[in-house]
C-alpha cells in the first residue's frame, strides 16, 4: 500500500464518523468533539498511528475554552512524514475529557502532565496525581493564562 | 537518648562533660589545625544533583579536570560526606530533599552554590517553581556562570580548601 | 497487543502488603535528579513508579513570557549536554512560522554541530551506563573523551555547553580557521578509542553479564509506547527524525541509521557506539561538502546596519541588531521534530501575532521514555534496575523541563 | 638494663611482635593507608587521570588516606534516633577486632608463630567467618531499608563463598597433610599454585568475594543500595567499616601466599639468622603484590549481579572446589608432596 492509500483511508474513515480532516504540510488536522474523540483515536490506531507524540493544552481565556491537542505519530515509512493532529475544545471552568489511555498507552504520562499543568481532567485515567509540580501544590494550574509570572525587565523583590 | 551510665550518680553528667572535654580538645590549636588540614584535603561532595549543572559537576571529577588531585571524591551517602554542591536550579520539590540531605550530613559541612540559578534564579528568575538556596543554607561560595565552567568549580573548591586549611570557617558553627 | 494487557503489567501489585518499597533518589548514587519508587518482592521488582518533576523549571510557561528569540537559551537548558539538538526543533518551528529558510552553509553548520553534540551526548550516556554497573573506568573514559567534542563545539560556537548556535534564518558563527583539521583529528582519535571501549567495556564478560538480556523491549511494544531514540532503534524499529528531511542537510548526505534487533540493554549501549561512528561519518562528509556563502538568511542580513554587516561577514560572527530580538511572529502555528541524542524532540509553537509565542509545547525524548521505567523493570532483579536505567540514557532535566 | 632488654625481648617475641607490629596492627594500618591510595592511583592512571596529588606532591599524594582517616576521626558521629544503638555501635568495633584477630595465626618463619596451635589454617579462616555476622548486625542496627537489603545480600554471599573458601583451603591441607600454615610452607617444595591451580583459583575468587571487592562488591552495591549496611554510618565508625574489607583482604592475601605461593620461601637465610621475623618480609611483599593486583581489578571490572555471583559461587566454584579436593588426594596418593 502506498502513502496515499493508508492516509486517505484514514481521512475517509474520519469523514464517516462526521469529522472534517484538513491537510496541512506535514500535519493532518482534525477538529473533534469530546464525544467523537475516542472513536477518532481508535480509527487512527487502526490506520497506523500507534502512539502519541504529545498531548497539549492551550488556554484561550477570551473564548472561555481550553483546547486540547493530540499529536499522534507513526514510525512507519509511509506515515512518519505526517502527524495526525486531533483538536478538542473543552469549557474552561470544567475541562473534562475521556482518557485515551486505552487507545494509546503512552498517554499515561502525557495526560497526567496535562492534568498537572493545565488542569484538564481525563476521565478514566487511573492515576491523576501530581507529576511535575510539588505534591502539595495548591495554586491554579500554572500553564493557564491567568497564572501570571513576572515578565522581563528590572524588578525589585520587596520583602 | 539516655545515658547508659545515668545510674552511677558519682559520675555526674558523663555524656555532657565528656562532650565538652572533647570539644575543648578539638578547639586547641595543634589539634584544630591538624583537623582542618585533614578536612581540607578530604572534601567529599555528596552525590546529589539538583539540576543541569550536574553535567559540569561530573566533568569536574572526570579526567580533564580531575579534582581528585585535591582529595575531592564524590561519595555515596550523605552521612559520609562533608560538602554539598547545589548544582544549579533548586526547585521547590528538590529544595526539600536538599534540606534533608544537608541535615543528614555530619558537621563540619560546607555548601557551595553552583551556577547563576543558585545565586538568584538565573535564567529562571521568574519561574514559579524555584527556590533560592541562600535562603536555606549557609553558603560558603557562589560560582557564577550558566553553567559555570569546570575550571570555575575547581577554583571554588580550591578556595574552599584554602579557607578550611586556614581554619576560617564556622567557629560559631551554623547548626541546623 | 491489547492495551489492557499492557496496563495490567504497568500497574500490577500496587498497594500489596508483602511488597518492600524502596525510594531511590533524588539523593542516591545512581538516581540523578529523579526518584524511582521501587516495589520489591524479595529481590524481584514488581513495580516501579517514576516520580519525576524534581527539576521542573517551568520552561513552557517561561517561554511564553519571553520574546521568541530569547526562548532559545532558555530551552537549551533542559538538555544542557545536547543543546544544539534541543534547540534546533524550536528554531525550525520559528522559521516555519516566519517563513524563512537558512542558507545552505548555515544548514551544513547546524548539521555539523548537531552531530558533534550527538557524540558528546552519547558519550555522556555511555559513561553513566558504565558507572551504573560500577565500571568507573568506562565513566571516566567517556567523560574524558567527551571533552574532545566539547572543545570542538566550543571552538565553533564559543561556549562549552550552551551554544545557542542556531537562530531563525541561520547560525551565529562561521567555521573558524583550522577547524577541519581539528575535527578530523578528533575523529581519528575517537575511532581508535571506540575499539578500546570494546575491549574494556562492551566485550567485558562482566559487563555483558549485566547488560545482556536485561530489559528487553520488543518492537511492537516500543511502537505502542512511543519510545524514541536509540532505545527505539535498538528494538529493531528504523525510525529517526533525521529521516524526515525537515532540518539540516541529512537528505544530501550518505549515512546509515543503525538498527539492532535484540532490544535489550546491551544492544541499546552498542547502538550508541554505532551512532557515534555514523555521526563521525556525517561530520566528515559535512566538512568535505560545506559550501561557501552567507550564514544568515538574506532577509535578516539586510537588517544589520551596513557598517556592522561588513565586519560581521568578514569575521564570520553575526552581531544581531536590537530589532532582531523583537521579531514579530505571524499568527499561526508550526510543528517541528528533530532528533536529539536521546531521541526525537517535538515542538509545537502557537503564535497569536505578538512578539512572544502564545504557547510552546515541547515533548522531550526523555519524557517520552519515562514510561519505560514502569514497563521494563518489573520481573527483573533489583540489581538490574541500574543497568536498565543506565541503558536508557535518561536525562531528568530534559523530562521535567 | 634488665628492664630494657626484657622489654626488647617482649617486643621481639612472636607473641607480641606478630599481632602488634608485623603482620598485625601496625602493618595493617600501614597497609590500609597505602593500599587505598594505591587503588585510587592505579584507577586514576587507567582512567587518564592523576588521582590524589596535592596533599604530598613529591610522593604523589601518598598520605591521602591519612587525611581521609583523620577527617573521619574528627567528623561528627551521627547516631540516628531510629537505630538500635547496641548493635549499631558495637558491630563495627567487633568486626574490626575479628578482622584483626586472624593475624595471630600467621607465622612469619618456621618457628616464629605468634600463637602456636597445630590448626592455624582453620583458626584463621574460622575467625573471618564472624565478620559477616557483624555486618548483619550493622544492617539490622541501622534500621534503614538500604542497610537491610545490604545485610540480606551479605547473608546470601556468605553462603556462596564460605563453603567454597573452606573446601579449597582444606584441599591444600589434604595435599600437605597438615593444618598448620608453617608446616604447609615447609611442605611446599613446589609452590602450591602449581600443584593445585584449581584450588588456588577457587580460593582467590572466594577471597575477593569474602572481602567484597570488585567485581563482587555486591554488599556495598552503591548504585542500588547506597552503601549497603554502612549507609547510616558516619565519622569514625564509617572509617572502621571501610577498613574492614581491606584488612580482611590483606589477611587473605597472607593466607594465600602461605598456602599457594610458598610463603617466606625461598628463605632469605642471612636475614633469617639476624631475626626470624625478617624472613617474613618476602611473605609480605608477595602478599602486597597480590593485594595490588586485586585492587587493580577495580579499574577493569564492574560489579556482578547478586544472582550471578551466587551462580558463580555455587555452579562454578563449588564443583571446582570438589575437584580440587580430589586432585589433592590424587597428588597425595602418588606422593608428590
Amino acid at each position: 500500500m502506498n502513502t496515499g492509500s493508508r492516509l486517505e483511508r484514514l481521512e475517509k474513515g474520519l469523514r464517516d464518523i462526521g469529522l472534517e480532516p484538513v491537510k496541512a504540510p506535514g500535519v493532518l488536522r482534525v477538529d473533534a468533539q469530546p464525544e467523537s474523540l475516542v472513536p477518532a483515536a481508535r480509527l487512527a490506531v487502526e490506520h497506523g498511528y500507534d502512539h502519541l507524540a504529545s498531548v497539549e493544552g492551550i488556554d484561550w481565556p477570551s473564548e472561555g475554552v481550553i483546547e486540547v491537542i493530540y499529536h499522534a505519530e507513526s514510525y512507519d515509512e509511509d506515515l512518519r512524514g505526517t502527524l495526525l493532529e486531533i483538536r478538542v475544545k473543552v469549557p474552561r471552568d470544567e475541562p473534562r475529557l475521556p482518557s485515551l489511555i486505552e487507545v494509546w498507552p503512552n498517554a499515561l504520562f502525557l495526560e497526567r502532565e496535562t492534568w498537572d499543568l493545565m488542569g484538564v481532567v481525563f476521565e478514566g485515567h487511573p492515576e491523576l496525581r501530581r507529576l511535575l509540580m510539588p505534591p502539595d501544590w495548591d495554586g491554579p494550574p500554572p500553564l493557564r493564562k491567568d497564572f501570571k509570572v513576572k515578565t522581563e525587565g528590572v524588578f525589585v523583590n520587596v520583602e | 537518648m539516655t545515658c547508659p551510665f545515668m545510674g552511677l550518680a558519682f559520675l555526674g553528667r558523663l555524656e555532657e562533660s565528656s562532650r565538652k572535654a572533647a570539644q575543648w580538645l578539638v578547639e586547641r590549636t595543634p589539634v584544630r589545625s591538624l583537623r582542618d588540614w585533614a578536612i581540607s584535603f578530604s572534601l567529599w561532595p555528596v552525590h546529589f544533583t539538583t539540576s543541569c549543572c550536574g553535567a559540569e559537576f561530573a566533568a569536574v571529577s572526570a579526567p580533564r579536570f580531575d579534582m581528585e588531585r585535591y582529595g575531592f571524591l564524590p561519595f555515596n551517602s550523605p552521612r559520609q560526606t562533608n560538602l554539598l554542591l547545589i548544582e544549579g536550579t533548586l526547585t521547590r520539590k528538590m529544595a526539600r530533599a536538599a534540606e534533608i540531605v544537608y541535615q543528614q550530613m555530619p558537621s563540619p559541612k560546607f555548601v557551595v552554590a553552583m551556577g547563576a540559578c543558585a545565586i538568584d534564579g538565573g535564567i529562571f528568575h521568574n519561574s514559579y517553581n524555584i527556590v533560592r538556596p541562600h535562603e536555606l543554607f549557609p553558603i560558603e561560595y557562589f560560582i557564577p556562570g550558566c553553567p559555570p565552567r569546570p575550571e570555575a568549580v575547581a577554583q571554588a573548591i580550591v578556595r574552599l580548601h584554602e579557607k578550611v586549611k586556614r581554619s576560617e570557617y564556622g567557629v560559631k558553627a551554623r547548626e541546623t | 497487543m491489547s492495551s489492557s494487557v499492557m496496563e495490567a503489567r504497568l500497574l500490577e501489585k500496587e498497594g500489596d502488603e508483602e511488597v518492600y518499597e524502596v525510594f531511590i533518589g533524588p539523593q542516591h548514587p545512581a538516581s540523578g535528579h529523579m526518584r524511582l519508587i521501587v516495589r520489591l518482592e524479595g529481590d524481584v521488582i514488581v513495580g516501579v513508579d517514576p516520580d519525576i518533576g524534581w527539576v521542573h523549571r517551568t520552561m513552557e510557561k517561561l517561554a511564553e513570557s519571553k520574546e521568541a528569540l530569547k526562548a532559545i537559551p532558555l530551552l537549551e537548558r533542559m538538555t544542557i549536554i545536547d543543546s544544539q539538538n534541543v534547540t534546533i526543533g524550536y528554531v525550525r518551528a520559528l522559521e516555519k512560522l516566519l517563513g524563512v529558510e537558512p542558507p545552505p552553509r548555515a544548514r551544513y553548520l547546524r548539521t555539523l554541530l548537531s552531530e558533534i553534540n550527538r557524540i558528546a551526548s552519547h558519550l555522556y550516556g555511555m559513561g553513566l551506563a558504565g558507572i551504573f554497573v560500577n565500571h568507573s573506568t568506562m565513566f571516566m573514559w567517556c567523560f574524558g573523551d567527551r571533552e574532545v567534542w566539547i572543545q570542538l563545539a566550543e571552538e565553533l560556537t564559543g561556549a562549552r555547553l550552551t551554544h545557542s548556535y542556531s537562530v531563525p534564518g541561520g547560525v551565529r558563527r562561521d567555521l573558524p580557521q583550522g577547524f577541519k583539521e581539528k575535527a578530523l583529528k578528533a575523529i581519528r582519535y575517537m575511532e581508535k578509542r571506540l575499539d578500546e571501549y570494546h575491549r574494556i567495556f562492551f566485550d567485558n564478560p562482566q559487563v555483558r553479564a549485566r547488560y545482556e538480556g536485561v530489559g528487553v523491549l520488543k518492537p511492537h511494544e516500543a511502537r505502542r509506547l512511543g519510545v524514541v531514540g536509540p532505545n527505539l532503534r535498538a528494538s529493531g524499529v528504523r525510525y529517526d527524525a533525521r529521516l524526515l528531511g525537515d532540518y539540516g542537510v541529512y537528505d544530501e548526505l550518505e549515512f546509515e541509521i543503525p538498527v539492532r534487533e535484540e532490544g535489550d540493554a546491551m544492544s541499546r549501549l552498542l547502538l550508541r557506539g554505532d551512532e557515534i561512528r555514523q555521526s563521525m561519518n556525517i561530520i566528515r562528509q559535512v566538512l568535505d561538502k560545506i559550501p561557501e556563502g552567507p550564514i544568515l538568511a538574506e532577509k535578516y542580513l539586510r537588517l544589520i546596519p551596513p557598517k556592522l554587516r561588513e565586519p560581521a561577514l568578514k569575521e564570520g560572527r553575526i552581531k544581531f541588531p536590537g530589532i532582531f530580538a523583537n521579531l514579530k511572529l505571524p499568527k499561526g502555528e508550526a510543528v517541528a521534530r528533530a532528533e536529539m541524542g536521546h531521541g526525537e524532540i517535538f515542538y509545537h509553537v502557537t503564535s497569536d501575532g505578538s512578539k512572544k509565542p502564545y504557547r510552546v509545547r515541547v515533548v522531550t525524548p526523555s519524557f517520552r521514555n519515562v514510561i519505560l521505567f514502569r514497563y521494563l523493570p518489573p520481573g527483573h532483579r533489583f540489581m538490574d534496575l541500574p543497568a536498565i536505567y543506565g541503558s536508557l540514557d535518561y536525562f531528568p532535566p530534559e523530562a521535567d523541563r | 638494663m634488665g628492664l630494657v632488654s626484657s622489654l626488647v625481648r617482649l617486643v621481639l617475641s612472636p607473641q607480641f611482635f606478630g599481632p602488634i607490629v608485623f603482620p598485625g596492627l601496625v602493618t595493617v594500618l600501614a597497609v590500609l593507608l597505602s593500599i587505598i591510595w594505591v587503588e585510587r592511583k592505579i584507577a586514576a592512571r587507567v582512567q587518564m587521570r592523576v588521582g590524589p596529588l596535592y596533599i604530598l606532591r613529591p610522593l604523589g599524594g601518598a598520605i591521602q588516606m591519612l587525611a581521609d582517616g583523620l577527617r573521619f576521626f574528627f567528623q561528627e558521629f551521627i547516631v540516628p534516633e531510629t537505630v538500635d544503638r547496641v548493635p549499631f555501635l558495637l558491630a563495627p568495633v567487633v568486626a574490626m577486632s575479628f578482622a584483626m584477630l586472624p593475624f595471630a595465626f600467621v607465622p612469619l618463619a618456621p618457628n616464629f608463630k605468634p600463637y602456636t596451635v597445630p590448626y592455624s589454617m582453620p583458626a584463621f579462616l574460622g575467625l573471618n567467618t564472624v565478620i559477616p555476622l557483624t555486618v548483619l548486625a550493622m544492617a539490622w542496627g541501622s534500621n534503614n531499608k538500604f542497610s537491610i537489603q545490604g545485610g540480606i545480600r551479605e547473608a546470601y554471599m556468605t553462603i556462596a563463598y564460605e563453603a567454597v573458601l573452606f573446601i579449597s583451603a582444606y584441599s591444600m591441607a589434604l595435599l600437605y597433610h597438615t593444618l598448620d600454615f608453617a608446616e604447609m610452607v615447609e611442605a611446599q617444595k613446589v609452590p602450591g599454585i602449581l600443584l593445585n591451580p584449581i584450588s588456588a583459583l577457587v580460593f582467590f575468587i572466594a577471597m575477593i568475594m569474602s572481602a567484597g571487592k570488585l567485581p563482587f562488591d555486591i554488599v556495598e552495591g552503591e548504585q542500588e543500595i547506597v552503601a549497603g549496611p554502612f549507609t547510616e554510618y558516619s565519622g569514625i565508625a564509617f572509617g572502621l567499616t571501610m577498613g574492614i574489607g581491606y584488612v580482611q583482604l590483606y589477611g587473605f592475601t597472607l593466607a594465600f601466599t602461605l598456602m599457594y605461593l610458598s610463603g617466606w620461601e625461598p628463605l632469605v637465610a642471612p636475614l633469617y639468622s639476624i631475626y626470624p621475623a625478617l624472613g617474613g618480609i618476602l611473605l609480605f611483599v608477595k602478599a602486597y603484590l597480590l593485594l595490588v593486583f586485586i585492587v587493580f581489578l577495580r579499574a577493569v571490572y564492574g560489579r556482578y549481579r547478586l544472582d550471578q555471583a551466587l551462580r558463580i559461587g555455587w555452579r562454578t566454584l563449588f564443583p571446582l572446589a570438589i575437584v580440587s579436593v580430589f586432585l589433592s588426594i590424587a597428588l597425595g596418593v602418588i606422593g608428590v608432596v
Side-chain angles (χ1 to χ4, degrees):
Chain A
M1 92 191 62
N2 55 30
T3 315
S5 71
R6 230 159 128 193
L7 255 183
E8 274 163 16
R9 275 191 292 147
L10 173 61
E11 273 181 61
K12 190 172 165 293
L14 286 171
R15 282 208 182 84
D16 287 346
I17 58 169
L19 298 173
E20 269 308 309
V22 184
K23 262 197 162 167
V27 177
L28 183 70
R29 192 165 294 153
V30 186
D31 282 310
Q33 301 302 317
E35 50 273 13
S36 59
L37 179 64
V38 176
R42 288 204 188 280
L43 211 61
V45 172
E46 274 167 30
H47 290 85
Y49 284 99
D50 47 11
H51 63 271
L52 279 176
S54 132
V55 176
E56 173 188 9
I58 303 185
D59 189 16
W60 301 100
S62 52
E63 299 170 36
V65 294
I66 288 176
E67 192 171 20
V68 180
I69 306 177
Y70 298 85
H71 281 99
E73 187 187 46
S74 172
Y75 294 143
D76 295 334
E77 209 159 323
D78 51 342
L79 295 176
R80 68 181 170 212
T82 313
L83 284 167
L84 176 70
E85 182 178 310
I86 304 178
R87 300 173 158 249
V88 196
K89 284 186 177 166
V90 285
R92 209 164 166 275
D93 40 0
E94 214 204 332
R96 286 187 167 276
L97 273 178
S99 171
L100 292 183
I101 190 166
E102 287 288 321
V103 190
W104 282 309
N106 78 325
L108 188 74
F109 283 95
L110 292 164
E111 285 183 351
R112 199 170 142 194
E113 186 209 358
T114 308
W115 173 81
D116 192 8
L117 299 182
M118 193 51 103
V120 181
V121 179
F122 292 93
E123 283 164 350
H125 192 290
E127 38 180 284
L128 286 180
R129 292 181 276 128
R130 290 274 168 220
L131 182 67
L132 297 179
M133 300 303 293
D136 56 348
W137 175 262
D138 56 354
L143 277 184
R144 294 213 184 168
K145 286 287 169 187
D146 46 8
F147 184 91
K148 295 266 192 270
V149 292
K150 285 172 270 186
T151 45
E152 293 277 327
V154 180
F155 56 83
V156 183
N157 224 352
V158 183
E159 293 293 322
Chain B
M1 269 198 305
T2 53
C3 172
F5 302 105
M6 208 62 103
L8 305 171
F10 58 89
L11 281 174
R13 299 161 79 181
L14 183 75
E15 248 186 27
E16 196 185 322
S17 48
S18 62
R19 190 175 298 136
K20 268 187 184 159
Q23 189 70 33
W24 178 84
L25 187 68
V26 167
E27 292 297 334
R28 292 306 95 195
T29 319
V31 181
R32 188 181 161 107
S33 51
L34 181 68
R35 179 186 79 161
D36 291 341
W37 171 82
I39 293 172
S40 73
F41 275 108
S42 178
L43 291 169
W44 286 12
V46 56
H47 255 293
F48 181 57
T49 351
T50 62
S51 208
C52 52
C53 284
E56 289 294 56
F57 171 72
V60 169
S61 43
R64 190 169 155 206
F65 302 97
D66 187 27
M67 280 313 283
E68 203 185 351
R69 288 173 297 164
Y70 281 91
F72 176 87
L73 184 74
F75 211 69
N76 311 340
S77 166
R79 296 264 189 239
Q80 293 121 31
T81 54
N82 56 0
L83 174 61
L84 176 63
L85 260 138
I86 306 287
E87 292 146 11
T89 336
L90 205 57
T91 61
R92 287 188 192 195
K93 208 171 169 179
M94 192 64 106
R96 229 157 285 163
E99 265 190 306
I100 294 172
V101 168
Y102 183 69
Q103 283 162 8
Q104 283 177 336
M105 284 160 56
S107 61
K109 48 192 167 185
F110 313 98
V111 186
V112 173
M114 181 179 171
C117 306
I119 297 174
D120 200 24
I123 198 166
F124 308 104
H125 64 94
N126 53 348
S127 167
Y128 51 81
N129 201 22
I130 65 158
V131 172
R132 282 150 181 81
H134 63 81
E135 293 166 3
L136 300 175
F137 312 109
I139 290 175
E140 305 283 340
Y141 285 104
F142 289 99
I143 312 170
C146 189
R149 291 181 63 91
E151 289 96 327
V153 184
Q155 194 201 12
I157 293 162
V158 173
R159 282 277 179 84
L160 180 63
H161 158 81
E162 280 164 2
K163 185 176 175 180
V164 174
K165 214 170 164 186
R166 289 195 308 265
S167 303
E168 283 173 10
Y169 68 95
V171 184
K172 321 163 250 322
R174 287 161 294 198
E175 300 289 328
T176 45
Chain C
M1 177 175 41
S2 87
S3 61
S4 57
V5 173
M6 180 176 289
E7 207 182 314
R9 200 171 146 188
L10 289 177
L11 306 171
E12 211 169 27
K13 292 252 184 185
E14 236 171 304
D16 194 323
E17 283 190 0
E18 285 176 14
V19 165
Y20 188 79
E21 214 170 48
V22 182
F23 283 50
I24 293 189
Q27 189 282 313
H28 191 279
S31 76
H33 351 336
M34 76 178 306
R35 170 184 277 167
L36 293 173
I37 300 170
V38 185
R39 297 190 182 83
L40 293 170
E41 219 178 60
D43 195 33
V44 178
I45 299 169
V46 291
V48 177
D49 184 10
D51 178 10
I52 62 172
W54 297 85
V55 207
H56 175 52
R57 291 169 298 180
T58 70
M59 300 231 183
E60 288 183 9
K61 185 74 179 178
L62 294 188
E64 289 172 18
S65 73
K66 286 185 190 325
E67 281 80 7
L69 198 72
K70 289 182 185 168
I72 296 174
L74 176 78
L75 290 167
E76 86 184 352
R77 256 84 184 162
M78 63 189 164
T79 319
I80 207 160
I81 54 173
D82 198 5
S83 57
Q84 160 70 2
N85 288 321
V86 77
T87 50
I88 185 80
Y90 180 66
V91 172
R92 277 304 293 159
L94 291 188
E95 279 171 356
K96 284 177 189 171
L97 272 176
L98 293 161
V100 286
E101 279 300 320
R105 189 176 174 82
R107 281 168 50 216
Y108 270 91
L109 287 173
R110 283 180 183 181
T111 312
L112 176 64
L113 188 60
S114 281
E115 296 308 316
I116 290 173
N117 265 203
R118 195 183 315 283
I119 294 172
S121 164
H122 280 338
L123 284 174
Y124 189 96
M126 274 155 56
L128 286 184
I131 197 70
F132 277 9
V133 291
N134 212 1
H135 198 292
S136 51
T137 300
M138 185 61 179
F139 173 78
M140 290 297 177
W141 279 16
C142 286
F143 271 70
D145 294 341
R146 180 174 158 256
E147 294 292 335
V148 172
W149 299 99
I150 287 180
Q151 219 165 357
L152 215 54
E154 191 181 349
E155 190 106 355
L156 183 61
T157 67
R160 257 177 73 86
L161 295 181
T162 46
H163 311 309
S164 295
Y165 189 59
S166 313
V167 287
V171 293
R172 278 196 310 112
R173 283 186 177 204
D174 207 342
L175 210 57
Q177 275 185 344
F179 185 84
K180 188 173 175 181
E181 288 72 41
K182 280 176 191 158
L184 291 178
K185 198 176 154 200
I187 290 173
R188 279 196 300 275
Y189 170 75
M190 196 66 221
E191 275 169 349
K192 201 177 81 216
R193 291 294 285 173
L194 276 176
D195 295 335
E196 288 176 21
Y197 286 177
H198 269 277
R199 229 175 298 148
I200 197 151
F201 191 68
F202 294 135
D203 296 340
N204 187 334
Q206 178 270 326
V207 174
R208 290 202 96 94
R210 283 304 294 279
Y211 277 116
E212 256 173 12
V214 166
V216 178
L217 181 67
K218 297 200 176 61
H220 64 280
E221 294 169 343
R223 280 169 196 272
R224 288 293 276 156
L225 292 173
V227 175
V228 285
N231 304 337
L232 172 76
R233 295 191 280 279
S235 295
V237 182
R238 189 172 175 276
Y239 173 80
D240 189 313
R242 289 178 287 178
L243 288 172
L244 301 173
D246 186 33
Y247 75 106
V249 285
Y250 295 108
D251 39 0
E252 297 169 25
L253 304 175
E254 281 189 18
F255 66 103
E256 282 169 32
I257 304 290
V259 174
R260 282 178 184 264
E261 298 299 325
E262 300 87 355
D264 60 351
M266 193 72 217
S267 65
R268 289 196 276 272
L269 284 182
L270 287 169
L271 191 97
R272 295 206 164 84
D274 299 346
E275 289 205 349
I276 289 177
R277 279 184 207 281
Q278 286 305 321
S279 291
M280 294 193 295
N281 172 21
I282 294 175
I283 292 174
R284 271 218 181 95
Q285 293 182 42
V286 165
L287 289 170
D288 282 342
K289 287 185 178 173
I290 185 163
E292 291 298 319
I295 57 170
L296 194 62
E298 196 60 30
K299 189 174 161 191
Y300 294 136
L301 216 48
R302 265 186 282 126
L303 289 177
I304 304 177
K307 220 202 247 165
L308 289 172
R309 196 188 307 155
E310 282 310 311
L313 284 178
K314 217 167 82 197
E315 258 179 54
R317 193 175 293 200
I318 306 291
K319 188 154 191 243
F320 293 109
I323 196 167
F324 205 80
N326 290 334
L327 280 180
K328 220 169 219 166
L329 296 177
K331 199 170 158 112
E333 58 185 293
V335 179
R337 285 180 282 173
E339 185 74 16
M340 292 174 55
H342 301 146
E344 179 199 85
I345 187 165
F346 172 92
Y347 278 101
H348 182 227
V349 182
T350 311
S351 164
D352 61 348
S354 69
K355 283 186 284 188
K356 299 172 182 175
Y358 189 77
R359 176 87 164 90
V360 179
R361 171 62 174 162
V362 37
V363 182
T364 49
S366 289
F367 188 70
R368 284 172 69 173
N369 288 341
V370 167
I371 198 162
L372 291 179
F373 282 109
R374 299 193 72 142
Y375 189 63
L376 291 183
H380 284 86
R381 302 261 161 196
F382 185 32
M383 283 190 82
D384 282 329
L385 188 68
I388 293 173
Y389 189 152
S391 73
L392 292 180
D393 195 5
Y394 174 75
F395 195 64
E398 180 184 299
D400 297 348
R401 301 180 296 270
Chain D
M1 268 323 271
L3 184 69
V4 172
S5 65
S6 59
L7 257 180
V8 167
R9 206 177 306 130
L10 174 70
V11 168
L12 291 184
S13 72
Q15 283 74 21
F16 184 88
F17 191 82
I20 301 298
V21 184
F22 174 71
L25 200 60
V26 175
T27 320
V28 164
L29 277 178
V31 166
L32 204 58
L33 289 180
S34 62
I35 197 67
I36 301 179
W37 171 74
V38 167
E39 178 174 4
R40 283 168 74 171
K41 215 57 183 172
I42 289 178
R45 187 53 55 86
V46 174
Q47 295 162 358
M48 317 187 288
R49 293 186 296 133
V50 184
L53 178 66
Y54 283 104
I55 187 162
L56 189 64
R57 196 93 199 257
L59 287 181
I63 54 169
Q64 177 62 46
M65 280 321 292
L66 190 65
D68 287 338
L70 275 176
R71 199 258 290 171
F72 277 136
F73 182 75
F74 284 117
Q75 211 170 20
E76 183 185 3
F77 175 36
I78 299 175
V79 183
E81 281 192 359
T82 50
V83 300
D84 194 343
R85 282 173 72 100
V86 175
F88 183 80
L89 297 175
L90 215 55
V93 182
V94 175
M96 202 37 145
S97 354
F98 274 94
M100 292 286 210
L101 272 179
F103 292 104
F105 296 96
V106 175
L108 297 179
N111 48 10
F112 194 90
K113 300 173 190 168
Y115 190 73
T116 317
V117 276
Y119 319 111
S120 57
M121 193 267 281
F124 180 95
L125 295 177
L127 282 171
N128 266 307
T129 59
V130 179
I131 295 171
L133 298 179
T134 62
V135 173
L136 271 179
M138 285 182 219
W140 180 257
S142 294
N143 190 15
N144 174 311
K145 283 189 174 182
F146 295 121
S147 298
I148 289 171
Q149 278 276 335
I152 293 167
R153 286 184 184 187
E154 175 77 39
Y156 271 118
M157 289 299 289
T158 308
I159 326 173
Y161 66 73
E162 223 154 54
V164 170
L165 193 74
F166 272 73
I167 294 170
S168 60
Y170 280 118
S171 80
M172 294 317 277
L174 284 170
L175 181 60
Y176 301 139
H177 305 290
T178 174
L179 284 169
D180 184 46
F181 278 138
E183 286 171 24
M184 278 184 176
V185 175
E186 278 173 11
Q188 287 179 60
K189 302 287 175 291
V190 185
I193 193 168
L194 298 179
L195 289 175
N196 195 342
I198 301 172
S199 167
L201 177 76
V202 171
F203 189 86
F204 183 75
I205 297 176
M207 82 189 194
I208 295 177
M209 277 186 174
S210 173
K213 291 279 158 280
L214 278 165
F216 298 107
D217 65 334
I218 290 161
V219 176
E220 292 177 53
E222 61 173 69
Q223 272 69 27
E224 309 93 33
I225 50 171
V226 190
F230 319 127
T231 308
E232 288 287 355
Y233 282 96
S234 56
I236 186 66
F238 182 72
L240 281 181
T241 57
M242 199 168 123
I244 292 164
Y246 288 97
V247 176
Q248 230 185 330
L249 195 63
Y250 168 54
F252 277 128
T253 51
L254 282 175
F256 189 89
T257 314
L258 289 167
M259 287 198 293
Y260 299 101
L261 300 175
S262 59
W264 53 81
E265 304 276 355
L267 249 178
V268 194
L271 282 177
Y272 179 71
S273 61
I274 299 167
Y275 179 56
L278 287 176
I281 288 177
L282 199 58
L283 171 70
F284 178 74
V285 170
K286 285 178 189 172
Y288 199 83
L289 288 178
L290 199 60
L291 206 55
V292 170
F293 175 71
I294 291 171
V295 297
F296 164 72
L297 291 181
R298 177 203 183 84
V300 184
Y301 285 116
R303 180 190 301 124
Y304 274 107
R305 214 163 59 205
L306 178 60
D307 57 322
Q308 285 163 347
L310 297 182
R311 196 174 303 138
I312 290 170
W314 283 117
R315 290 228 184 126
T316 315
L317 296 185
F318 191 73
L320 277 180
I322 303 287
V323 168
S324 79
V325 170
F326 285 113
L327 182 62
S328 285
I329 293 171
L331 287 172
V333 168
I334 60 170
V336 172
V337 178

